Amino acid sequence: MSNTEQPQTNGHPQANMEKLKRNMDAIGKKILVLSGKGGVGKSTVAVNIAAELARKGFQVGLLDVDLHGPSIPRMVGQVGQKCFGTEDEILPLKINDNLKVMSVAFLIGDDTQATIWRGPMKYAVIQKMLADTAWGELDYLVIDAPPGTGDEPLSIAQLTGVNAGAVLVTTPQQVAVEDVHRCVTFCQQVMLPVWGIVENMSSLYCPQCDKEIKIFGSHAGGQKLAEATGLDLLGQLPIDPEIADGADAGQTIAECSVSAHTHQHMDRIISNLMPKIQTQTKPKGSTMKIAIPTADGQLCMHFGHCEQFAFVTVDEENKTVTNVEMLTPPPHEPGVLPKWVADNGGNMVIAGGMGQRAQQLFNQNQVGVVVGAAPDSPENLAIAYMNDALQTGQNACDH
Ligand code: ADP
């Protein structure tokens, strides 16, 4: 295709907005990966978040709408691929049973072409991809957005609708941090919750002595930004040449031979992100029941072996606890507790620790899960949760 022509979107550049809303509403959560500028590792973070969620057994879509530098096809080993579809749907490419990918590059079919699309055409392409990609059932859609805070990320943030949030990627230096600070303001303006910050290229582990070297001095930009904005630092990724080599060869961090440090950092990012993206979004003013496993009146760290569950009914609008009911759970067997909590009206579980499989089963029963909470009374935990002040640490079951 010539670089100024319309993209081949089956002759329908203008997507149907109702269809777009239906397509977006059918997705559990949309995770927009944003950065203040290019080259900081936004696509790397997007691919690896998507791949890790898929490895956990979730159904995941990865949408590359970085119109000027779509790098996802290379990172998932699909360079030069074209996608197919019908008049009004585009079929994403299947990477494995749990992960599908759609990239603007698959519409063009030639990665070497520069795309010079004017504003309205860019908007139409973004709309089309959001409206017409036939994902099937998805727990998560990870979106690799164009860098910066211009019209394109704005369109994406506006079109993804509810149940969406952002992960911001920065490098440690002050200049990069200033750019991503603008992203924070941008998200506030479009009322997109920010689920946290990832600081990429934070340091380098010496291949000889394993000592951690802070290449950019003591900037710790991601940490400072998190402190200045009150946002969470989800984690840091070191510079690891294997990340770049792996990406060029279509391999994710889990698949290539990065250092053990890199694996640990990536795991930390995902375990800090999980509680944010599992939270069920409830309409304002509604009541909700939070189930908390207890022993001696306090949160019990191992939810499968607790004496009783406190079902705390809360009024989210007034941030008050309206009722606490203590119920004895059935004997612990895989799959029993998620159904029992759901049958008793629980929308959310706050736990100290919980294995991945159990978290998935709760999610399948439409119950959100927050892990890593510390022992406290059920009322205090519920109030902290409503005020976004619940402190969470390590999942006590992440052995
Ligand atoms: P962006 O999407 O912000 O433009 P990319 O994710 O495409 O950035 O990353 C730019 C380049 O840097 C890619 O070649 C990628 O493989 C490499 N890269 C990103 N993060 C790291 C890292 N932590 N260590 C080594 N290379 C990295």
Side-chain angles (χ1 to χ4, degrees):
M1 168 174 141
S2 98
N3 57 7
T4 52
E5 273 175 32
Q6 298 206 349
Q8 288 160 9
T9 49
N10 301 314
H12 284 254
Q14 204 63 32
N16 172 331
M17 290 307 281
E18 258 173 49
K19 188 170 173 221
L20 187 149
K21 187 173 176 323
R22 268 201 312 277
N23 212 18
M24 287 296 104
D25 286 354
I27 295 166
K29 285 272 158 83
K30 286 138 285 187
I31 305 166
L32 273 71
V33 184
L34 301 172
S35 67
K37 60 163 77 186
V40 297
K42 172 179 55 61
S43 302
T44 305
V45 170
V47 166
N48 283 288
I49 288 178
E52 288 296 318
L53 292 174
R55 265 169 26 99
K56 282 177 181 290
F58 295 109
Q59 285 299 320
V60 184
L62 173 60
L63 179 65
D64 173 17
V65 263
D66 192 344
L67 300 187
H68 304 289
S71 40
I72 297 290
R74 177 162 303 283
M75 292 180 174
V76 294
Q78 301 291 333
V79 178
Q81 290 284 3
K82 261 187 128 169
C83 62
F84 297 95
T86 60
E87 175 104 338
D88 39 32
E89 63 175 27
I90 315 167
L91 297 177
L93 301 185
K94 189 171 167 181
I95 303 298
N96 58 44
D97 282 349
N98 295 344
L99 180 62
K100 291 176 189 154
V101 179
M102 179 63 209
S103 167
V104 67
F106 302 153
L107 292 177
I108 307 162
D110 180 353
D111 301 82
T112 58
Q113 285 278 4
T115 46
I116 307 172
W117 294 334
R118 286 182 295 275
M121 183 48 68
K122 288 185 204 160
Y123 185 72
V125 172
I126 291 169
Q127 261 193 340
K128 184 82 187 156
M129 290 174 80
L130 292 174
D132 288 359
T133 307
W135 294 108
E137 248 180 51
L138 276 195
D139 298 306
Y140 297 109
L141 177 65
V142 180
I143 303 177
D144 184 13
T149 50
D151 288 347
E152 295 150 46
L154 180 66
S155 311
I156 296 159
Q158 286 171 335
L159 293 171
T160 42
V162 292
N163 285 338
V167 169
L168 308 182
V169 182
T170 185
T171 48
Q173 316 90 308
Q174 191 55 34
V175 277
V177 170
E178 279 163 13
D179 281 334
V180 91
H181 209 149
R182 277 189 276 280
C183 275
V184 176
T185 317
F186 166 87
C187 291
Q188 284 162 349
Q189 282 165 352
V190 295
M191 301 216 286
L192 181 70
V194 178
W195 285 324
I197 299 164
V198 173
E199 187 189 273
N200 188 25
M201 310 192 192
S202 295
S203 60
L204 174 78
Y205 289 90
C206 171
Q208 255 85 47
C209 67
D210 208 33
K211 186 172 178 284
E212 188 181 11
I213 306 159
K214 298 277 180 194
I215 301 204
F216 299 110
S218 56
H219 288 297
Q223 180 70 52
K224 285 187 194 148
L225 180 69
E227 283 161 16
T229 54
L231 295 168
D232 284 345
L233 181 68
L234 296 173
Q236 296 162 314
L237 266 184
I239 294 181
D240 185 329
E242 295 293 335
I243 293 183
D245 287 352
D248 285 348
Q251 290 174 326
T252 61
I253 288 179
E255 291 164 338
C256 62
S257 44
V258 294
S259 77
H261 297 292
T262 305
H263 282 301
Q264 278 162 7
H265 282 285
M266 192 64 224
D267 287 351
R268 197 165 307 143
I269 291 169
I270 296 296
S271 57
N272 284 333
L273 180 63
M274 280 321 288
K276 322 243 170 202
I277 59 177
Q278 284 181 320
T279 308
Q280 304 286 305
T281 310
K282 291 261 132 199
K284 267 211 165 336
S286 65
T287 53
M288 124 183 233
K289 250 190 202 181
I290 304 177
I292 301 173
T294 60
D296 298 327
Q298 293 226 318
L299 172 93
C300 153
M301 295 311 277
H302 294 281
F303 92 107
H305 307 282
C306 69
E307 296 160 5
Q308 285 198 305
F309 269 74
F311 280 76
V312 186
T313 308
V314 297
D315 174 343
E316 283 189 275
E317 188 150 31
N318 297 311
K319 301 201 188 307
T320 51
V321 168
T322 54
N323 189 39
V324 181
E325 190 183 3
M326 300 303 292
L327 296 178
T328 305
H332 181 44
E333 268 181 60
V336 170
L337 283 175
K339 188 165 181 319
W340 176 77
V341 167
D343 288 348
N344 282 287
N347 318 99
M348 169 67 59
V349 169
I350 297 179
M354 192 188 294
Q356 297 296 348
R357 182 72 193 126
Q359 292 186 36
Q360 271 174 24
L361 290 171
F362 272 109
N363 290 163
Q364 282 162 10
N365 281 277
Q366 304 301 311
V367 179
V369 179
V370 175
V371 287
D376 201 342
S377 72
E379 290 87 344
N380 285 349
L381 292 168
I383 288 172
Y385 173 74
M386 282 186 285
N387 288 293
D388 288 329
L390 185 68
Q391 301 282 329
T392 53
Q394 178 92 17
N395 178 354
C397 284
D398 258 357
H399 303 297

